């Protein structure tokens, strides 16, 4: 996958805020793909092992080695009061001219992440998550998006970056492509 992000002030890109690079697909993500692509014949009628889909993004201020064993964000931050994960606000598929790439996007508003006007939050890690509850066999049910349980949320994809300082006057725009 490929991750791009930048800060915007009144719609214009803030100089020096652009970050981009490859991400790591975690073991959680690999297991998810294997289950999502497979049908369980034991139910009588073939039923997908997983029914949830890519649906949420989370950010943090920590950092760890990008490797398949990543289990969570090191220092997750609240995107809004009490909430860690945000539902993606744009999904692009298929991307022309090929149908082997999906793009997921979210723009954190000026009042997200920086919950007090004078705060600066140095974002340095990001994760993509499903919209379903991974604790259930098939990923059915809603995902726990609370900051209180952020440490128990395992991303499908993970990226660390050189920190970008998100303030109350800036939007953080994230675009994440998954390529096959």
């Amino acid at each position: 996958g490929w991750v791009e992000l930048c800060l915007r002030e009144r719609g214009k890109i803030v100089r020096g805020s652009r970050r981009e690079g490859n991400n790591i697909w975690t073991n959680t993500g690999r297991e998810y793909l294997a289950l999502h692509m497979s049908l369980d014949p034991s139910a009588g009628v073939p039923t997908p092992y997983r029914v949830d889909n890519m649906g949420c993004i989370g950010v943090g201020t920590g950092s760890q080695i990008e490797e398949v064993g990543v289990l969570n964000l090191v220092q997750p931050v609240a995107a809004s009061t009490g909430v860690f994960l945000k539902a993606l606000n744009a999904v692009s598929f298929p991307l022309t001219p090929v149908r082997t790439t999906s793009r997921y996007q979210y723009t954190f508003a000026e009042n997200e992440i920086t919950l007090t006007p004078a705060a600066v939050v140095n974002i340095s890690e990001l994760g993509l998550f499903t919209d379903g509850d991974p604790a259930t066999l098939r990923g059915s049910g809603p995902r726990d998006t609370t900051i209180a349980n952020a440490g128990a949320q395992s991303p499908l994809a993970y990226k660390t970056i050189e920190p970008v300082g998100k303030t109350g006057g800036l939007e953080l725009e994230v675009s994440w492509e998954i390529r096959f």
Side-chain angles (χ1 to χ4, degrees):
W2 187 256
V3 181
E4 295 178 8
L5 64 94
C6 67
L7 295 171
R8 290 187 180 271
E9 184 174 25
R10 294 186 301 275
K12 296 184 179 178
I13 295 176
V14 174
R15 179 184 225 149
S17 72
R18 185 176 292 280
R19 306 285 187 272
E20 60 183 5
N22 292 317
N23 69 249
I24 186 69
W25 198 253
T26 67
N27 283 333
T28 300
R30 293 168 186 215
E31 178 184 280
Y32 165 79
L33 281 179
L35 291 168
H36 204 293
M37 295 186 306
S38 304
L39 296 174
D40 178 4
S42 69
V45 176
T47 306
Y49 281 103
R50 290 290 292 258
V51 296
D52 52 344
N53 294 294
M54 190 70 70
C56 299
I57 189 168
V59 298
T61 58
S63 182
Q64 61 188 304
I65 296 173
E66 291 180 3
E67 63 178 13
V68 298
V70 168
L71 295 175
N72 54 17
L73 273 60
V74 176
Q75 282 296 134
V77 297
S80 56
T81 304
V83 176
F84 163 56
L85 296 177
K86 298 300 280 188
L88 296 166
N89 57 14
V91 178
S92 303
F93 177 83
L95 296 178
T96 33
V98 297
R99 293 185 295 186
T100 58
T101 302
S102 295
R103 181 179 296 130
Y104 305 98
Q105 295 174 296
Y106 189 80
T107 299
F108 292 92
E110 294 170 344
N111 65 346
E112 291 182 309
I113 299 174
T114 46
L115 304 179
T116 57
V120 176
V121 179
N122 290 308
I123 303 301
S124 56
E125 60 180 345
L126 305 97
L128 279 180
F129 302 81
T130 69
D131 59 358
D133 181 2
T136 64
L137 177 62
R138 299 195 186 284
S140 57
R143 162 81 64 172
D144 180 357
T145 62
T146 64
I147 190 68
N149 293 316
Q153 307 291 334
S154 186
L156 304 182
Y158 179 80
K159 178 67 184 158
T160 61
I161 57 168
E162 180 184 329
V164 293
K166 167 78 171 76
T167 66
L170 303 173
E171 294 179 331
L172 174 63
E173 183 179 277
V174 180
S175 176
W176 205 312
E177 286 187 5
I178 304 298
R179 302 171 183 172
F180 297 94

